[in-house]
Amino acid sequence: MLKLIVGSVWSKIHGDLDKSVKDALDQELSFEIENSRFIAPFMWEGWDGRVKLFQRREQAFRSGLARRAHALLQELEIPHEVELRLPQYEFSHVFPFHGELRDYQQASLDTLYKTRRGILWSVPRSGKTVIAAALISKLGWSHNLFICESLDIAYQTKRLFERALGASVGVIGDGRVETAPITVATIQTLLQAYDIKNDETVEQVEARLEAKEPVRRYVESAQLVICDEAHHCAAQSYQQVSMNFTAAGRIYGLSGTPWRMDQADLLMEAVCGPIVYQVSYGDLIQRGFLVPPVICFQHVSPQKYPSNVHYQTIYKDYIVRNHERNAAIVDFVQRMEGKGMSTLVLVDQINHGEALRKVLRAPFLQGKVESAERIRTLDELRSKKILTVVTTLGDEGLDIPSLDGEVIASGGLSSARALQRLRAMTAHPGKKRCYVLDFFDNAKYLSRHSKARLQLYHSIPDFTVIEQRLSGS
């Protein structure tokens, strides 16, 4: 009889498989690469445009795909046994959880605890990090690694864990290597430890890591691994780091948007496993854990560009230097400030942020600003000592419950990124709704991006979308 052996990193099917079964596994454990029809002519002859995660000769695949392979073998009525060769660890450390979980958080925790691997799909601002703290407490293991996408989120997570668990939490990031039974690490520093080039855009450049070996030892001895913003696990550089989770008895992913615009969702599953529990916007809004957003989608005057003008040139002209558009941003922010309401203005480019900083007379946070200053400025925004901050760092994870509104000044195509940026939806005393300014940019390339965001907002029942035209548009 065939045996499916599941390890921490790799799984393998022992026994002879027919060609037809290998073909079926090849199809099930693969995905079509984005725009493959344009790429195929430049690749090898006969390539079908798919990225294949099943190694036919070894009959092996990443362990996050084991349930998918098991389900296929069952569907094909192929007798087989499943053997888990995952490390087993005893409860050895007491981390008492100081707090009370909401019912959906408790249900999420119970589901994660029952499985060894999986993704929690819980919308942004639903308290995923609190659930992670409760899971660490419940397991009581000695080496717990929580991986973040940025240094700001790492320090924010460290503070939350220390409050929730009453334990000192280590940090691996920005050149620091301070390990503890619970350690928060940035993926950027882990990549440095393994001499892996980051293939994702980095806004916050961290200090150079000198002590690489202690970081490797901790990663390779981690018993519990939790990947925050798990949609980033699909990046090739993240995939390489995850090959070193060799001692992990459990691996989980947390994400409010567990999908990829490049169709590479299967790579995320390869690391963390499938989605095992979902928490939706509608449920949390209706029960008062989030506030509904009122999204003002303003149509900007159309502008035509010659066919040979590239995207970056259009972006700089139509978004960064657009007087009409920037004037609408200033008007929105000033009206918010006039009511004593706070606003986060999200930009992509430094020169756009600098221009808005000057006219709004607001702090501008970007990757080169010292970490201590970023933390201080965000604390002042939380307390409403200041009411407006312009930033390139607001895509994921920022926790500002008191925030009243946002400006999506940057545009963008990604649906995951659009939802991650809605930071003002967190419930807070006295806040009944939040306000978002976004734009329909009527120009080449940009109109397609705007249409995608507008359709996304309209698709969520508890979102109120108001479309307006700017004067002259």
Side-chain angles (χ1 to χ4, degrees), residues 156 344 378 381-382 398-403 423-424 426 431:
Q156 179 176 289
L344 195 65
L378 291 175
L381 183 65
R382 289 185 185 97
L398 286 182
D399 182 27
I400 311 173
S402 62
L403 187 66
R423 313 309 311 172
T426 307
K431 184 165 67 171

Side-chain angles (χ1 to χ4, degrees), residues 122 124-125 128-129 146-150 153 200 226-234 238 252-258 260 268 272 395-398 416 420 423:
S122 191
R125 295 155 305 281
K128 293 182 290 295
T129 312
F146 188 95
I147 304 175
C148 299
E149 283 297 308
S150 73
I153 302 307
E200 291 205 307
I226 302 176
C227 304
D228 192 30
E229 307 299 355
H231 41 282
H232 290 286
C233 291
Y238 209 128
Y252 300 105
L254 309 176
S255 181
T257 52
R260 301 271 303 192
M268 172 175 57
C272 300
D395 281 357
E396 296 171 342
L398 286 182
Q420 289 282 355
R423 313 309 311 172

Side-chain angles (χ1 to χ4, degrees), residues 194-242:
Y194 286 98
D195 299 315
I196 298 170
K197 184 179 179 181
N198 197 341
D199 57 357
E200 291 205 307
T201 302
V202 174
E203 176 59 40
Q204 294 174 275
V205 179
E206 298 180 24
R208 181 174 178 175
L209 176 68
E210 300 295 341
K212 296 181 179 181
E213 188 56 36
V215 176
R216 293 177 182 176
R217 284 199 302 269
Y218 196 92
V219 170
E220 291 159 23
S221 63
Q223 301 165 350
L224 169 66
V225 177
I226 302 176
C227 304
D228 192 30
E229 307 299 355
H231 41 282
H232 290 286
C233 291
Q236 185 59 39
S237 52
Y238 209 128
Q239 294 275 312
Q240 290 177 263
V241 168
S242 71

